[in-house]
Amino acid sequence: MIYFDNSATTKPYPEVLQSFHQVAETYYGNPSSIHRFGSDSERLLNQSKKQAAQLLSIDPEEIIFTSGGTEGNNLAIKGIALQHQNRGKHIITSSIEHPSVLEACKALEGLGFEVTYLPVNEQGIIDISDLEKSIREDTILISVMHVNNELGSIQPIQQIGKIANRYPKLYFHVDYVQGLGKVPLDFHKSKIDLCTMSSHKIHGLKGTGILFVKKNTSLFPLMHGGSQETSYRAGTENLPGIVSMVKALRMTLEYQRSHLSSLKKMHEKIRRSLEEINGVVVNTPENSAPHILNFSMPGFKPEVVIHALGEHGVFISTKSACSSKDADESAILKACGADHERASSALRVSLSYFNTDEEVDTFLSTFRTVIDQLSEVMG
Amino acid sequence: MQYDHILIRYGEMSLKGKNRKHFVAKLYENVKSKLQSFPDIKIKRNRDRMYILLNGEDPQPVMDQIKDVFGIQSFSLAVKVNSTEEEINEGALFALTKPENVKTFKVSVRRVDKQFPVSSQDMNRVIGGHLLRNTEGYQVDVHQPDMEIMVEIRRDGTYITSEKVKGAGGLPVGTTGKSLLLLSGGIDSPVAGYLTMKRGVEIEAIHFHSPPYTSERSKQKVLELAQKLTRFGNKVRVHVVPFTKLQQSLYRQVPEHYGMTVMRRLMMRISERVADREGILSFTTGESLGQVASQTMESMNVINEVTNYPIIRPLISMDKLDIIELSKQIDTYEISIRPYEDCCTVFVPSQPKTRPTREKVNEVEAKVDFTQELEETLENIETLEFSEEHSEKENEFSDLL
């Protein structure tokens, strides 16, 4: 089997599963319990936070453990909006954000907030001067993703941060779920106040994530209850999940150091080979993230291609898994100015550090075969 | 051209006549240990300066480390050039134009090597002229320059430095002996330890642990505080005293409102025995006058009666808010405020004597005998050693994380 759907989710590292099992079995004490058994869990929790902070070059107090990307984005956006609505009720985001950002913003519109959705160019990048022009007296939050989940395009986060930093009332949130472990991002240099990360995209397990919240930034919690996560996120900590996430983070950053160039090579090879195939339009712009490649097959129904590849044990996807159940058309490609044909025939290959050259070759030959077969009927 | 050196200026140790050599050697040792995670750098020292040769290492992280070393008055990034007019001019130009936001400057030449043909005064003019001719928008301002470019012409070369960064000051840890810090886990004692270290003192800590009245977490807290202190002194040993038995018999036999005073006196006696065993000549405490019942003038008088060792009390005249400020600076505050019981808070009587007298306490103590428990306690002291973490250290959870 060839798994090329790593932007949807990744296969957990065996070491991560082992840690999960070990922690779930041994450290089931509640970190808040005062007995020694609880204190052992608490120490492990603190050590996990400390290590995560070291790996991300931030302070342990700046980490909130969450249940994943969707919660991180919701907590960042609603948390800032609700907490700081007295300062203003205007939010700026882009039109190609993940649904957990867009829908959170839409929900806030229902509560009387105003949201500006910045357009993107055909490369999927916002225009910095558009952003500057949209900032108003009552703008409290800019939320822009780093790597786009469907296209792989990378927003100019550092430039956005620089602008946001000029307005003391303004918070800057970045959805870093797709970029983590693939495209480095310096939170401090980029003047980021909040940053969402997710464990299962980096070979950890579902149900865990990190929200970076810069010191002295206050949020309105989504979950009220105990004082876990400095009261920003009540609920007994998912210690096995947290420990395995931090381990996955460490391992992924190690792979990033050692395997990034081979990932880039595979990516490049797929791009070049697909470009040679008649009828394929590559949507992912050059200089994008090294693991996502989006392309369209105008005239082909993407679902059919996916199923046909699936029969050969090759797994790729259409648009992001989170919106795959909607109609065929990709809102993101549409926002990039693609016509209906192209926007409704998009496919996405997303790689991990564990994919191999052989897999790339097999995928390419399988793909050609499948297209040949299908074009007799569809093309 | 790039910065290839960090020049370190010694603090007041420069004044210490005969001891200078010993001080410099200790500082060298401390700097070296502080920078052990930078394998490529080299450290050179002479009577009044130390130089860190960066050998391509990024200067910023190195400077961040140096900031914590006591005995350093200030330091600067420097370029070393050969002592020729041409190279000196070129180096000064680099020092001026490298940083952003500099508009006005001043040149200060020190000609240590009198063999160099041009006098300091003349060299000031030569360099200043060169800088003005070769740049645009810069002006000389001898009174309040944005940057003072310091040029030291020495025999082995000329050091050109920009911005002076303030060091931690004080004296190199290990040059003025050792003190036993009574470390409770609160906000004050780590700060007291830090300030004592600043005067060149090496610290060992003693902690009184009373399970089950105090939890594992409160001991853990103290150990973490000791770990934090290693940042300023490389190594910190902690003597954990199992205090339960003593405390229990104390509270059975001593009238409640004298309990705390007698307990404090016991702590002093134990500390003296430990100090004696370890060759330590003084104690350090976080006492600050008037803070709590045990820190009234009367209490101190009575508690101090049992030892004639010097007691260093760096916080004695400080306000609580200033102490808190310092504890935040040295990164111990967050640990200190964790809400676990320590051995001093568990047995606090509802009405402690804030004005005990020596006479009365001696009378109380004459009726009891703790010798056996005391000896037993001393035998069971657990000693742990902490040293500064220079990289992701192995810890008990390494296999899981």
Side-chain angles (χ1 to χ4, degrees), chain A residues 327-374:
Chain A
D328 275 342
E329 190 174 78
S330 154
I332 290 174
L333 282 171
K334 200 78 189 155
C336 297
D339 57 27
H340 177 76
E341 279 281 274
R342 213 172 113 198
S344 54
S345 62
L347 295 164
R348 180 186 68 182
V349 165
S350 46
L351 305 171
S352 82
Y353 293 117
F354 302 104
N355 292 127
T356 61
D357 259 343
E358 292 77 56
E359 286 179 329
V360 167
D361 290 340
T362 312
F363 160 70
L364 288 168
S365 65
T366 312
F367 185 71
R368 283 188 203 101
T369 317
V370 163
I371 294 303
D372 283 348
Q373 283 166 359
L374 290 177

Side-chain angles (χ1 to χ4, degrees), chain B residues 61-336:
Chain B
V62 178
M63 297 207 294
D64 289 344
Q65 291 295 314
I66 295 174
K67 273 185 191 139
D68 294 333
V69 180
F70 291 127
I72 294 176
Q73 189 182 38
S74 68
F75 53 92
S76 305
L77 277 171
V79 262
K80 186 185 180 189
V81 296
N82 291 320
S83 295
T84 66
E85 222 178 279
E86 201 186 4
E87 287 202 25
I88 292 172
N89 277 337
E90 196 189 322
L93 188 62
F94 168 77
L96 177 65
T97 52
K98 180 88 208 260
E100 288 167 35
N101 302 326
V102 173
K103 287 276 154 279
T104 58
F105 70 93
K106 165 191 179 178
V107 179
S108 306
V109 175
R110 243 184 97 206
R111 191 180 51 143
V112 182
D113 175 18
K114 301 295 180 202
Q115 309 283 337
F116 189 77
V118 189
S119 79
S120 314
Q121 278 311 313
D122 290 344
M123 232 7 231
N124 276 336
R125 278 191 289 275
V126 169
I127 298 171
H130 179 81
L131 294 179
L132 290 172
R133 272 196 305 280
N134 289 286
T135 56
E136 250 169 59
Y138 289 95
Q139 279 183 332
V140 175
D141 180 347
V142 290
H143 300 295
Q144 277 183 313
D146 294 338
M147 185 200 281
E148 182 177 0
I149 299 169
M150 278 164 291
V151 178
E152 279 195 20
I153 305 172
R154 307 180 81 93
R155 194 161 300 167
D156 61 328
T158 294
Y159 296 87
I160 300 165
T161 58
S162 55
E163 234 180 326
K164 219 182 218 182
V165 184
K166 207 167 173 283
L171 299 167
V173 171
T175 53
T176 54
K178 227 188 236 181
S179 188
L180 187 65
L181 171 69
L182 279 73
L183 192 57
S184 67
I187 293 171
D188 300 335
S189 43
V191 176
Y194 161 78
L195 290 172
T196 307
M197 289 164 113
K198 185 170 180 183
R199 295 313 298 168
V201 179
E202 194 177 323
I203 287 292
E204 291 198 12
I206 186 165
H207 175 68
F208 297 86
H209 183 46
S210 306
Y213 302 104
T214 61
S215 71
E216 248 338 276
R217 278 176 167 95
S218 72
K219 177 176 157 191
Q220 189 59 35
K221 189 173 149 181
V222 167
L223 302 184
E224 282 181 45
L225 289 170
Q227 180 67 55
K228 284 282 177 196
L229 287 176
T230 61
R231 180 175 144 199
F232 307 99
N234 187 26
K235 228 178 258 166
V236 172
R237 294 173 79 206
V238 184
H239 306 279
V240 180
V241 182
F243 205 40
T244 315
K245 269 203 179 151
L246 259 175
Q247 249 183 333
Q248 279 170 334
S249 31
L250 193 150
Y251 280 87
R252 267 197 304 270
Q253 299 177 50
V254 171
E256 194 194 351
H257 49 280
Y258 281 104
M260 197 176 57
T261 310
V262 175
M263 181 186 82
R264 294 271 176 182
R265 282 161 64 105
L266 266 175
M267 287 178 168
M268 279 309 187
R269 291 188 171 108
I270 293 171
S271 298
E272 195 174 299
R273 293 281 293 272
V274 171
D276 184 48
R277 199 177 70 192
E278 303 291 334
I280 296 170
L281 302 182
S282 72
F283 305 136
T284 298
T285 71
E287 285 162 301
S288 175
L289 206 48
Q291 246 196 38
V292 290
S294 67
Q295 295 173 23
T296 61
M297 199 66 86
E298 289 81 1
S299 285
M300 270 197 274
N301 176 284
V302 175
I303 293 164
N304 218 149
E305 189 191 9
V306 299
T307 180
N308 56 12
Y309 273 50
I311 301 181
I312 301 170
R313 299 183 175 95
L315 310 185
I316 199 70
S317 65
M318 281 176 75
D319 290 350
K320 189 74 184 181
L321 287 177
D322 298 330
I323 299 171
I324 288 176
E325 196 49 48
L326 270 177
S327 78
K328 285 181 177 165
Q329 248 179 57
I330 63 171
D331 214 14
T332 55
Y333 182 74
E334 292 297 329
I335 301 173
S336 291

